[in-house]
Amino acid sequence: MVLDVNATSSMPANPGTSTPGKVIFSLGGVARNVADCISKLEARPFMISAVGFDMAGNLLLGHWESAGLSTEGIQRNRNIETAVVCYIFDEKGEVAAGVARVESIEKFLTPRWIEKFKCKISSAPILMVDANLTSSSLEASCQMAAQFNTPVWFEPVSVAKSRRVASVVQYISFASPNEDELIAMANAISGRDIFHPIRKDHGTIKLSTECLFQMLKPAIWLLLDKGVKVVVVTLGSHGVFLCSNAKSNLEKLAFKENQPPHFSKQLYEVVNTVCPRNQFFGASKCGPISNLVAVHFPALSASVVRLTGAGDCLVGGTIASLCAGLDVMQSVAVGIAAAKVAVEVESNVPAEYCLARLADDARSVYSGATMLLCQSKL
């Protein structure tokens, strides 16, 4: 759990002095944002984290308690300095600079603390971990999940931290990198810097979606070949690539039978009505010799205020939908719709979601999705 301090200004910065602008305190942290989004979609996530007895900790914990969510998994003591991140945004709502103090997450979210909640992990339909955890805590979490056949969703957080995937890749069912994180993860897994960041704008010529996919495909395939079942590559205004090894059977990728009863059936009903299942399957293998299933989902147009919560809400919306019983295709469409709402508000996660509007946006995404051509591994 992290408190975000966000500063924006319409004036250029002047070195050595302050610049008039606006400062906003927002509840943040990748896992917290994802969990908050899930809770806004009428589910009850269980959060494992750490906060202190400081102002930031009070704000974060107070919000969690006011939502009626369990604080059992949130460690709190006077030695913890609650994680705080300060972002400076440009006029487009994109991060221009940032400073992070998140050492408490690494210091206090230890394997021993996570072990206390083995029972919760054993009964969960999915475990989401983010790369703010140390490698030892990631390994402990993923090993516990594997013991109980609980699928793991890995959220990379940043390019630098995404490399922590290397020690746990064999346990991961879902990963949600952006393009740069995908490249960093593939390099970390391979042990060599053989993949290079993609420049989407080569001078005046912008890459097409198909061309971008072909350039990213070797890195995507490496993750799938090492055991990841589904790779969700977030592309900003280019949308999302949903990719799976054909052997993983994307259509029938199932969750555990013991789903908790508190996941929303209303979400399932309203989305399933407008996004019919199996729209892509039957012709879903991109070619007769393909081992890769890949679908491109378009982004939705939005009136952008800030972009920091978009990826987290995409993950939260997708996870909530999967747990509600929707298939992977439907769930990613909901995730994109949830991300659209997030970029149109100043907080990382919207105060609420209208399910009817969310389903309508998901229908637009779902109907615009297309299969991608991939006739070989590389």
Side-chain angles (χ1 to χ4, degrees):
M1 300 178 82
V2 178
L3 184 70
D4 289 343
V5 183
N6 305 308
T8 59
S9 176
S10 59
M11 300 176 62
N14 297 309
T17 187
S18 61
T19 301
K22 181 167 58 174
V23 177
I24 299 171
F25 290 87
S26 300
L27 307 179
V30 172
R32 192 222 68 91
N33 291 344
V34 171
D36 196 20
C37 178
I38 291 172
S39 73
K40 299 291 173 55
L41 295 174
E42 302 183 6
R44 300 184 65 80
F46 185 85
M47 184 81 178
I48 302 175
S49 190
V51 298
F53 284 93
D54 46 20
M55 182 193 75
N58 292 337
L59 287 171
L60 289 160
L61 204 63
H63 172 79
W64 209 244
E65 291 174 332
S66 69
L69 299 169
S70 172
T71 60
E72 178 189 352
I74 302 173
Q75 183 181 175
R76 200 175 196 202
N77 70 55
R78 300 193 180 279
N79 295 320
I80 298 176
E81 290 185 86
T82 304
V84 175
V85 178
C86 180
Y87 290 117
I88 298 175
F89 293 91
D90 62 21
E91 67 278 2
K92 297 179 181 178
E94 298 186 17
V95 175
V99 177
R101 186 194 72 190
V102 296
E103 294 83 0
S104 59
I105 301 296
E106 296 188 350
K107 183 176 180 181
F108 291 95
L109 282 185
T110 62
R112 179 176 295 182
W113 177 254
I114 296 167
E115 175 82 19
K116 292 176 181 287
F117 308 103
K118 180 183 288 190
C119 183
K120 294 290 186 180
I121 293 172
S122 72
S123 61
I126 191 166
L127 171 68
M128 196 222 81
V129 296
D130 73 38
N132 281 314
L133 294 174
T134 62
S135 294
S136 60
S137 292
L138 280 172
E139 290 172 23
S141 301
C142 291
Q143 287 167 3
M144 272 184 270
Q147 181 180 347
F148 302 109
N149 296 317
T150 300
V152 174
W153 187 299
F154 178 84
E155 221 304 312
V157 177
S158 68
V159 170
K161 293 183 177 180
S162 69
R163 297 184 177 96
R164 295 177 179 177
V165 72
S167 63
V168 295
V169 64
Q170 68 270 31
Y171 301 109
I172 295 171
S173 295
F174 297 86
S176 46
N178 62 28
E179 298 142 272
D180 292 335
E181 291 163 350
L182 170 68
I183 297 300
M185 290 166 67
N187 282 331
I189 292 168
S190 68
R192 296 178 295 160
D193 289 334
I194 57 177
F195 302 99
H196 304 286
I198 305 299
R199 287 184 57 198
K200 288 186 290 185
D201 191 342
H202 293 260
T204 59
I205 302 174
K206 291 188 177 181
L207 296 178
S208 67
T209 299
E210 177 65 34
C211 183
L212 180 59
F213 171 69
Q214 295 301 331
M215 295 174 76
L216 292 172
K217 188 168 66 172
I220 293 169
W221 178 256
L222 179 66
L223 267 65
L224 297 173
D225 197 42
K226 295 299 183 181
V228 180
K229 291 184 172 61
V230 178
V231 179
V232 180
V233 186
T234 60
L235 308 166
S237 62
H238 285 253
V240 166
F241 291 146
L242 173 64
C243 306
S244 175
N245 187 326
K247 295 178 181 178
S248 296
N249 200 341
L250 190 60
E251 179 183 6
K252 297 180 180 179
L253 188 64
F255 284 81
K256 296 160 59 176
E257 296 295 329
N258 58 336
Q259 288 188 17
H262 45 248
F263 283 99
S264 172
K265 292 305 176 187
Q266 186 180 358
L267 176 62
Y268 172 85
E269 291 167 359
V270 72
V271 174
N272 197 53
T273 299
V274 298
C275 300
R277 301 173 74 94
N278 304 329
Q279 176 171 313
F280 301 94
F281 300 113
S284 63
K285 293 179 183 178
C286 305
I289 58 173
S290 175
N291 292 305
L292 178 63
V293 175
V295 180
H296 173 252
F297 290 83
L300 292 163
S301 60
S303 301
V304 176
V305 175
R306 284 208 295 115
L307 298 172
T308 51
D312 301 338
C313 287
L314 188 151
V315 173
T318 303
I319 290 176
S321 302
L322 288 168
C323 293
L326 294 167
D327 69 26
V328 178
M329 302 285 194
Q330 294 168 314
S331 298
V332 170
V334 174
I336 294 172
K340 176 203 170 185
V341 182
V343 303
E344 295 184 329
V345 298
E346 289 189 329
S347 57
N348 288 318
V349 180
E352 62 181 0
Y353 281 105
C354 170
L355 289 186
R357 189 176 305 157
L358 196 73
D360 191 51
D361 282 340
R363 175 175 57 185
S364 296
V365 174
Y366 196 68
S367 62
T370 55
M371 300 301 300
L372 292 164
L373 182 63
C374 40
Q375 294 191 346
S376 67
K377 290 184 180 181
L378 300 176

